[in-house]
Amino acid sequence: MQDRLIGGVRCSEVLAHLSDYVDADLDAATTERVENHLLGCPNCEHFGKNFGSMVASLRNESNTPEAIQADAISRMLSQIYQLGADS
Amino acid sequence: MGRPIRIMAGVTWPSLVWLDLLSSHLRGFHMLDRQSQDLAAFDHQLISRTANGDRRAFEQIVSRHATAVFRLAKVVTGDAAAAEDVMQKTFLAAYRSASTCGSDASVRTWLLAIARNTAQQLQAKQGREVPAEEPLLNLGLDAGWGSGDPETIAIAAAHKDNLDKALSTLCAEDQEVLILRDMEGLRGSEAAEVVGLGEQAFNTRLHRARLRLAGALRGAPPLDGVVQEGGA
Ligand SMILES: [Zn+2]
């Protein structure tokens, strides 16, 4: 892997900024430099796109809740009401 | 076709480069943000009704946040039974001290911070594992940066089973930042608050955790019974 200077940024800097880019946390100037690099560097573009879609998949996972038994919740509630009344 | 599309204030995305990523952003991130504002306001209503002794309101708080609390507690304690214990302690604390929930933080952030503290106290004797400080470049190389096959991480991540399995191979520190920021969709500042870090330190940890997740996805053999579609 060559650390190439494209669009005024090195590949290694793009790698370091990738999460901030995906989260839209970069300032406008850095965003533009990262994008110029991505447009001119197939390696970083290829990795960044797939890294970004991994993050999107992870975010979609929030729609599939961890199974908590319904009776665990009602057990918990009745204990809380008992303990809560004691305080 | 090449016209940049504006998604969030101050940020433009090149439509050519990130087309598929962009559509997920539109569906996921953007909606999540607006939804979370409405939901956060409703949560605050529910919490003040809880403070006035309204059990129905409290039960709504529980049903809206039990999954997030349980998921975080399970990662920190590494055990489902301990996580149930943490969940009960968390909601008991919330029930008793609903009036102390400030209006600045979101109710979810407040609950998750209680859950994390409670879980850590349980774990205190055993100590916390701290991920080794590997150079970022190595994490990138493991994740497929510069390798020519980074699509394997996106393909693997599209299957929930693969994603769960890869997540479970990461240390608790990595898992909790991914859960808070990506799976629960907390804002960076909120997630950082739950973990007790500054926002920049949190983002650094998040990026490393995502790269390690990518590395785990890339290294994992395909699951039995899952047909991975190739380019043929
Ligand atoms: Zn590059």
Side-chain angles (χ1 to χ4, degrees):
Chain A
M1 178 71 202
Q2 277 186 1
D3 198 10
R4 299 194 294 164
L5 182 67
I6 297 169
V9 214
R10 298 205 161 273
C11 293
S12 52
E13 293 173 73
V14 170
L15 175 68
H17 283 314
L18 215 46
S19 275
D20 288 335
Y21 178 65
V22 166
D23 293 333
D25 274 344
L26 291 175
D27 60 74
T30 315
T31 301
E32 198 181 332
R33 283 193 300 140
V34 168
E35 285 177 352
N36 284 337
H37 183 101
L38 292 171
L39 286 165
C41 178
N43 260 324
C44 287
E45 193 272 334
H46 192 193
F47 180 72
K49 192 171 83 172
N50 286 289
F51 178 82
S53 85
M54 177 197 78
V55 174
S57 293
L58 197 55
R59 296 210 152 202
N60 285 334
E61 259 246 298
S62 58
N63 302 328
T64 58
E66 187 104 23
I68 308 175
Q69 308 288 334
D71 61 332
I73 295 285
S74 49
R75 229 181 16 245
M76 177 181 84
L77 284 172
S78 56
Q79 281 188 347
I80 286 175
Y81 292 146
Q82 261 179 22
L83 292 165
D86 293 344
S87 69
Chain B
M1 169 89 185
R3 196 161 64 95
I5 298 172
R6 185 164 287 269
I7 303 185
M8 294 180 197
V11 181
T12 50
W13 300 69
S15 56
L16 271 174
V17 184
W18 297 89
L19 261 184
D20 57 350
L21 176 60
L22 198 137
S23 60
S24 346
H25 271 81
L26 281 172
R27 266 204 324 274
F29 295 18
H30 204 44
M31 263 170 45
L32 211 68
D33 228 39
R34 181 157 9 137
Q35 264 180 2
S36 65
Q37 279 175 16
D38 296 346
L39 293 178
F42 185 47
D43 271 343
H44 277 293
Q45 283 176 28
L46 290 173
I47 222 58
S48 37
R49 281 166 50 196
T50 301
N52 291 325
D54 183 341
R55 286 187 176 185
R56 283 278 301 150
F58 175 63
E59 282 158 25
Q60 281 192 70
I61 288 284
V62 169
S63 81
R64 290 154 68 84
H65 302 294
T67 300
V69 165
F70 181 76
R71 185 140 60 178
L72 180 66
K74 195 170 151 198
V75 156
V76 178
T77 62
D79 178 68
E84 267 193 37
D85 188 32
V86 168
M87 180 170 72
Q88 177 170 327
K89 288 190 164 84
T90 300
F91 284 114
L92 177 63
Y95 184 65
R96 281 177 168 164
S97 52
S99 61
T100 68
C101 176
S103 53
D104 295 344
S106 80
V107 172
R108 174 166 285 218
T109 305
W110 180 66
L111 287 169
L112 288 171
I114 298 174
R116 187 174 183 273
N117 284 335
T118 310
Q120 277 203 317
Q121 279 164 20
L122 257 178
Q123 288 308 94
K125 295 162 221 146
Q126 297 168 35
R128 300 265 291 174
E129 39 182 339
V130 178
E133 274 302 302
E134 260 174 286
L136 196 68
L137 223 57
N138 291 0
L139 293 181
L141 291 171
D142 285 348
W145 176 70
S147 73
D149 71 346
E151 62 277 356
T152 53
I153 64 175
I155 292 168
H159 293 280
K160 185 188 172 335
D161 290 347
N162 284 330
L163 205 50
D164 287 346
K165 203 172 161 191
L167 261 172
S168 72
T169 65
L170 303 182
C171 68
E173 301 261 346
D174 282 350
Q175 286 189 56
E176 72 177 354
V177 295
L178 294 171
I179 284 176
L180 292 170
R181 183 76 171 97
D182 289 330
M183 294 169 80
E184 300 303 342
L186 263 59
R187 286 166 210 279
S189 56
E190 294 176 327
E193 195 185 319
V194 173
V195 179
L197 285 175
E199 204 172 339
Q200 205 172 355
F202 179 89
N203 285 344
T204 303
R205 188 182 290 183
L206 176 70
H207 187 44
R208 290 176 161 269
R210 283 173 175 171
L211 286 173
R212 274 191 278 262
L213 177 68
L217 284 165
R218 183 163 168 259
L223 288 180
D224 291 341
V226 175
V227 179
Q228 308 248 349
E229 298 193 6

